[in-house]
Amino acid sequence: MERSLLRPEDIIARAAEVLRENDMGGWTRASPTLYPHQWSWDSAFIAIGLAHLDTGRAAAEITSLLDHQWENGKIPHIVFNPEAPPESYFPGPEHWASAADGPEAPTGPAMTSGLCQPPVHAIAAMRILQVAEARGEGVAETREFLEEAYPKLLAWHRYLATARDPEESGLVTIYHPWESGTDNSPRWTPALERVEVGEIPHYERADLGHVPDPEERPTGYEYDRFIWLVEVIKRTGCDDDVLYEKCPFLAKDVLASAILVRANEALLEMAEVVGAPEVHRSTVSAWIERGHKGLEERWDPDLGLCADYDLRAGEPLAARTIAGFAPLIAGGGKPDQLRGLLRVLHSSDFAGYPDLRWPLPPSTSPDESGFLPRNYWRGPVWPVMNWLLWWSLEDSGERKRAARLKDYSLAQLSDGSFGEYYEPFTGEALGSDDQSWTAAVALDWLADEEGSKSQ
Ligand code: 9WN
């Protein structure tokens, strides 16, 4: 059905409605049917959007996630909703139950997955304070929230800097493509192909029942590997040392590492706000420096992008995907490199590709061999990725480019479906409608519009 285009004030109203409808009481499901649970990095983006509606509720979003943090500092990738019907999402809580007996898993009735996702949380937490200060509302409460959240976020970042980086490379190791948040992206294809699938119990995919067309979701080949890796990870009790030895998928993720650099910068600011001891600040500063170095080492001059690294195979994972813009997202890079990245971003490899509905970067370059315009992370445009790029461009002083990216992104969202991702050539919304993080980034963009008008 053709939808009429919404005006900015209607986008705000609809986005707020989406977040209200997905509000499960103190936490937000990622989408109404496809994702009925709380996802880690979704919640961070959701908090950024919620801040414009209610800073207290935004803080609660992060707090509720942190309530399920593991003993070793890990923030789990999913906190399961006990009320969601068992057949609504696979693999659900029962599937992860054995991992919940592991020594690091949180005690208590709530069930979580044993994986994690990119660490956007500290960035979100500081953004809540920024919004509260700009509005002159809820500042004291937000500061109290930050005092509570700070040690937990520090423990989270410490987990990533140690258990997930024993080599001290500055780069985050992942055990499963789900941990990257860009599940079936071609960035992981060679590493996934090297995974030999063992015995897996028969399983039914719930996701295919929630999208109009299975072509929008990962393939059966990919899912078998996803589920096998979950099996392997669970059998170790999610033990990082054992996984380093045994996990058949072991990779350095440049996008998560870049986000960690930014999140560490946010943590430094938070340390200032809560008056944390000096030693924390020097530790976090060292993590930031190490992160920049690590990304530098993963620069691929042929691609003009950063490339992930397959630790198991000992080989780089060269692919033209949105993750390659990691140094732009990390910020603070060399001016030459920034210029190069901007060139690639606007080139026919990405946003300048002919016949795109809007000049917005597809998740995978249309020139990459694994590109599929309707398939999940293999081509569609993801608004949440555009938010990350927009935010990074703003921060690098590239205000004009940032404004263009925001304007086209808002044009994309003006059909009001708040799709999970969009077909790059037709602009059709794909995956789930009413995706919470899409609504959230729309709210943040439109608040920025308001902010720039009043300046
Ligand atoms: C697996 C919730 C999540 C996002 C991920 C996205 C997708 C899950 C799935 O949905 O992944 O974690 O079942 O496909 O890839 O980035 O956090 O929105």
Side-chain angles (χ1 to χ4, degrees):
M1 193 183 63
E2 215 22 50
R3 296 190 195 224
S4 54
L5 299 185
L6 302 181
R7 294 169 305 166
E9 55 273 37
D10 301 324
I11 300 184
I12 295 180
R14 265 287 296 139
E17 188 179 84
V18 167
L19 290 183
R20 227 176 7 255
E21 281 174 3
N22 287 335
D23 189 332
M24 307 304 285
W27 67 273
T28 310
R29 60 185 175 197
S31 75
T33 55
L34 183 58
Y35 307 119
H37 307 292
Q38 183 178 30
W39 259 261
S40 166
W41 75 329
D42 295 57
S43 263
F45 286 111
I46 290 165
I48 290 172
L50 281 174
H52 301 289
L53 303 174
D54 175 351
T55 48
R57 176 61 187 80
E61 187 72 30
I62 307 273
T63 303
S64 65
L65 186 68
L66 291 174
D67 284 347
H68 303 286
Q69 185 168 28
W70 286 37
E71 297 296 318
N72 54 4
K74 175 164 65 187
I75 297 185
H77 114 283
I78 305 176
V79 176
F80 291 109
N81 169 11
E83 318 255 296
E87 64 288 357
S88 55
Y89 183 79
F90 180 81
E94 337 62 58
H95 206 84
W96 281 106
S98 60
D101 295 336
E104 304 291 351
T107 46
M111 282 286 316
T112 75
S113 90
L115 306 175
C116 59
Q117 277 187 325
V120 187
H121 317 86
I123 298 171
M126 282 310 288
R127 191 125 181 126
I128 303 173
L129 182 62
Q130 229 179 21
V131 173
E133 284 177 341
R135 291 178 154 194
E137 258 172 50
V139 177
E141 293 81 351
T142 306
R143 283 171 173 263
E144 272 169 38
F145 150 69
L146 292 179
E147 293 208 354
E148 294 263 315
Y150 172 78
K152 298 179 183 177
L153 291 170
L154 179 66
W156 165 223
H157 291 197
R158 194 184 295 284
Y159 167 75
L160 292 170
T162 55
R164 294 305 186 104
D165 189 21
E167 313 87 347
E168 302 189 358
S169 68
L171 301 171
V172 175
T173 301
I174 59 168
Y175 309 136
H176 195 300
W178 281 343
E179 296 203 298
S180 72
T182 63
D183 316 354
N184 73 337
S185 165
R187 58 196 290 230
W188 308 124
T189 305
L192 208 55
E193 280 173 357
R194 287 191 267 270
V195 171
E196 253 179 64
V197 179
E199 192 106 339
I200 32 176
H202 169 78
Y203 64 93
E204 295 278 341
R205 283 181 60 179
D207 59 322
L208 298 180
H210 297 303
V211 288
D213 178 2
E215 294 298 308
E216 296 172 21
R217 295 286 304 170
T219 60
Y221 175 91
E222 286 158 346
Y223 249 79
D224 281 353
R225 275 146 193 81
F226 293 163
I227 300 307
W228 170 243
L229 287 171
V230 167
E231 218 48 47
V232 171
I233 294 165
K234 275 195 314 184
R235 284 179 198 171
T236 69
C238 304
D239 183 314
D240 292 290
D241 295 337
V242 181
L243 284 165
Y244 246 83
E245 291 299 312
K246 298 221 165 109
C247 191
F249 180 100
L250 197 76
K252 289 290 186 190
D253 175 335
V254 291
L255 177 61
S257 306
I259 291 174
L260 182 58
V261 168
R262 280 310 178 103
N264 272 324
E265 283 172 359
L267 199 63
L268 270 187
E269 289 168 27
M270 209 183 298
E272 198 68 41
V273 173
V274 307
E278 188 47 45
V279 58
H280 290 186
R281 291 178 230 191
S282 48
T283 303
V284 177
S285 302
W287 291 338
I288 294 173
E289 206 180 308
R290 207 191 273 171
H292 283 300
K293 263 207 202 124
L295 288 170
E296 201 51 54
E297 280 171 24
R298 300 268 48 93
W299 179 249
D300 182 326
D302 295 334
L303 295 180
L305 294 169
C306 226
D308 301 296
Y309 189 80
D310 185 341
L311 284 173
R312 215 20 108 223
E315 288 178 9
L317 292 160
R320 272 164 302 172
T321 75
I322 200 90
F325 295 99
L328 172 62
I329 290 166
K334 298 189 188 119
D336 274 5
Q337 191 183 50
L338 177 65
R339 270 196 298 277
L341 281 166
L342 294 176
R343 228 182 358 257
V344 178
L345 182 63
H346 298 295
S347 75
S348 60
D349 278 357
F350 285 94
Y353 193 84
D355 299 329
L356 293 182
R357 175 70 185 86
W358 292 283
L360 294 170
S363 48
T364 294
S365 166
D367 280 336
E368 183 67 36
S369 58
F371 174 78
L372 291 169
R374 302 180 69 79
N375 184 257
Y376 210 40
W377 290 99
R378 288 187 165 265
V381 174
W382 286 69
V384 74
M385 284 294 130
N386 290 339
W387 185 91
L388 262 184
L389 289 173
W390 164 77
W391 178 74
S392 310
L393 286 171
E394 282 258 300
D395 202 72
S396 319
E398 294 289 337
R399 305 211 62 166
K400 269 202 182 142
R401 291 177 203 267
R404 247 169 75 86
L405 188 65
K406 179 180 71 178
D407 291 348
Y408 286 119
S409 296
L410 284 169
Q412 182 177 57
L413 301 187
S414 64
D415 72 343
S417 54
F418 297 98
E420 189 182 2
Y421 42 93
Y422 289 79
E423 212 275 2
F425 302 108
T426 62
E428 179 191 350
L430 300 171
S432 176
D433 273 355
D434 292 352
Q435 183 80 10
S436 297
W437 66 6
T438 308
V441 296
L443 285 173
D444 197 57
W445 274 321
L446 285 161
D448 180 72
E449 287 278 278
E450 279 308 302
S452 12
K453 264 190 237 146
S454 58
Q455 267 167 25

